Amino acid sequence: MKTAADPGWFGLWWWVWRGRSALGLGAPALSEAARRELLLRGTPGSATILAVRPRRGEPGHAFWVRVRVAGTPPYEARVRQWVAERDLEWMRPGDVVGCRVDPGDWERLMLYVPDFEEFEQAGRVGLGKILSDGRRAEATVLAVAPVAAEFGGHDDPLLRLDLELRAWDEPKPWRVRVVQQVPLAAITLIDRGGRLEAAFFTVDRGESVAIDWCASLGEE
């Protein structure tokens, strides 16, 4: 078991507390006409929300996302965009949303929350939906690493967790990889071999898995 003096813990804490760069630099916000054009003609893909914050002095939000488009390697981008308040619930760090990308400029894209049928077809749903409706499992931490991206305005780090899941109604354990925000209070739980409470919809590689941090911390 590692201790706070262990170099691995020092490196993780240094990453958690180091200064974060401002979020929202990069491509300018698209006009309404440009968004409509992308929605109709852009290349479809998915985007994992890495960070989000309100834009300072301007309407809308700035998102840091990891974009996946079929046939191309994943990449990270910053998006300035206005979204409805009801959609923000589905656009938190770790959530996966739809996107449309300009085939001539991969940094030019728009985000949108798919309807529930599209979520199901894509095999991805919001973390809140998984926690409220998903099946329960116990997760054992196999490895942890910070996401290779800076983010601003958040105290909780965004980490990549490799886990082994066990559920009473599944015949054998399976391994997943998730990218989720970890509350600072739960940092000591994610050492290798640590046990976490999780929720999931189906056995997959992590697309339908959410960590229940409240339950893991004994707050429920």
Side-chain angles (χ1 to χ4, degrees):
M1 181 68 70
K2 295 181 181 179
T3 66
D6 186 278
W9 271 111
F10 177 81
L12 179 57
W13 277 107
W14 178 85
W15 181 85
V16 170
W17 290 107
R18 71 182 176 173
R20 286 110 179 196
S21 65
L23 173 67
L25 304 177
L30 298 175
S31 67
E32 182 63 29
R35 288 198 298 270
R36 287 197 300 268
E37 180 69 15
L38 271 182
L39 191 60
L40 291 173
R41 305 185 186 280
T43 302
S46 65
T48 301
I49 306 295
L50 301 180
V52 56
R53 70 162 173 79
R55 297 173 64 191
R56 295 179 180 177
E58 299 180 62
H61 288 72
F63 298 87
W64 193 318
V65 296
R66 176 172 288 119
V67 181
R68 289 179 173 83
V69 176
T72 65
Y75 66 96
E76 293 179 9
R78 297 179 178 95
V79 182
R80 298 176 179 179
Q81 183 176 322
W82 179 88
V83 296
E85 287 295 324
R86 65 179 181 275
D87 288 342
L88 287 176
E89 178 184 353
W90 302 93
M91 302 179 75
R92 297 171 180 171
D95 284 339
V96 177
V97 298
C99 68
R100 297 281 178 165
V101 180
D102 185 337
D105 182 356
W106 291 103
E107 297 297 317
R108 187 171 179 267
L109 66 150
M110 65 159 293
L111 309 174
Y112 67 95
V113 176
D115 59 32
F116 190 72
E117 288 186 0
E118 189 172 348
F119 264 132
E120 290 187 312
Q121 291 170 1
R124 300 303 296 256
V125 295
L127 297 181
K129 182 69 173 176
I130 298 172
L131 290 174
S132 63
D133 297 344
R135 299 149 63 191
R136 310 308 293 184
E138 181 182 71
T140 300
V141 179
L142 303 178
V144 57
V147 172
E150 296 286 355
F151 60 99
H154 293 279
D155 292 327
D156 296 339
L158 191 73
L159 303 179
R160 184 179 67 241
L161 303 174
D162 290 334
L163 309 167
E164 182 179 81
L165 266 59
R166 294 177 181 269
W168 70 270
D169 54 350
E170 291 295 337
K172 59 183 180 180
W174 70 102
R175 294 189 175 188
V176 302
R177 172 171 287 182
V178 299
V179 176
Q180 293 184 16
Q181 275 191 297
V182 178
L184 291 176
I187 288 293
T188 57
L189 300 180
I190 61 171
D191 196 0
R192 185 173 181 179
R195 301 295 178 87
L196 303 171
E197 297 293 326
F200 72 103
F201 278 135
T202 188
V203 174
D204 54 28
R205 297 181 179 180
E207 291 86 353
S208 72
V209 175
I211 304 302
D212 190 333
W213 296 111
C214 290
S216 298
L217 289 165
E219 296 178 354
E220 290 187 347

